[in-house]
Amino acid sequence: MSLVLDPAAQDLLFREARTANTFTDEPVTDEQVRAIYDLVKYGPTSMNQSPLRVTLVRSPEARERLVRHMAEGNQPKTAAAPLVAILSADNEFHEELPHLFPHFPQAKDAVFAERPVREGSAALNAALQAAYFIIGVRAAGLAAGPMTGFDFEGVRKEFLDDDHTPLMVVSIGRPGPDAWFPRSPRLDYEQVVTTV
């Protein structure tokens, strides 16, 4: 059985998509980011909790503050990308559940009353949404450079609050010269899939 998605779209989203390390200076517009979000918001999360939050770092001052918290190897691409997004998990996502999960509005208190439960669920589901976000960036014809090499607590204090946990920083734009490292190997089907 073959995939239904057009092979060119498969390549755009997966086979030819790469983590970009350099970018052109072509701007990434608010309209592009809105289109990305309007697509990826439909990706599933547990109980539709949708805990991902996106902080767009646009101003030169904010970019400079962010670069200080990045690992040395990630600083140049963070400084040069047309747009950088901080993706975080909202640990108070449960406040939105009466709206997002209307057939069980009691979930807010019945399931997620305890902060440690919310933090675990928010981390998992926001990570799912972060993957959707990266695919959405690719669907917009842009390249994404997701990074976890940064001072998490420093970024939280600088840009977020105690209710948000940073997950990754993503540089976004059109790929620049020598944007790609060589493709790393992948595991074969037999190494990953087990039938019981």
Side-chain angles (χ1 to χ4, degrees), residues 34-114:
R34 181 174 294 278
I36 291 165
Y37 176 73
D38 284 344
L39 173 66
V40 303
K41 70 183 178 184
Y42 294 106
T45 57
S46 176
M47 299 175 82
N48 199 34
Q49 60 191 250
S50 306
L52 181 71
R53 301 297 179 262
V54 180
T55 303
L56 300 178
V57 181
R58 284 205 181 276
S59 74
E61 298 79 17
R63 185 74 62 98
E64 187 176 310
R65 288 170 27 225
L66 178 59
V67 167
R68 288 197 305 261
H69 296 290
M70 301 303 293
E72 185 176 343
N74 291 332
Q75 289 179 353
K77 57 188 163 186
T78 304
L83 180 63
V84 179
I86 300 168
L87 305 188
S88 63
D90 181 357
N91 297 307
E92 297 298 310
F93 68 87
H94 69 308
E95 296 294 343
E96 303 291 340
L97 282 180
H99 168 69
L100 293 174
F101 205 58
H103 53 280
F104 183 32
Q106 308 89 326
K108 173 181 180 279
D109 299 313
V111 180
F112 296 110
E114 301 295 325

Side-chain angles (χ1 to χ4, degrees), residues 125-196:
N125 286 281
L128 271 175
Q129 288 186 284
Y132 304 146
F133 183 84
I134 292 166
I135 299 294
V137 169
R138 293 171 176 177
L142 300 170
M147 299 170 279
T148 56
F150 62 91
D151 175 359
F152 281 70
E153 185 60 15
V155 167
R156 189 192 63 74
K157 287 181 179 177
E158 190 83 40
F159 294 96
L160 306 171
D161 59 32
D162 290 339
D163 291 331
H164 294 80
T165 303
L167 300 172
M168 66 181 68
V169 173
V170 183
S171 50
I172 303 167
R174 300 238 179 249
D178 301 316
W180 322 116
F181 293 145
R183 171 74 79 188
S184 296
R186 298 300 194 263
L187 295 175
D188 292 328
Y189 178 89
E190 293 76 17
Q191 295 174 281
V192 175
V193 178
T194 305
T195 303
V196 294

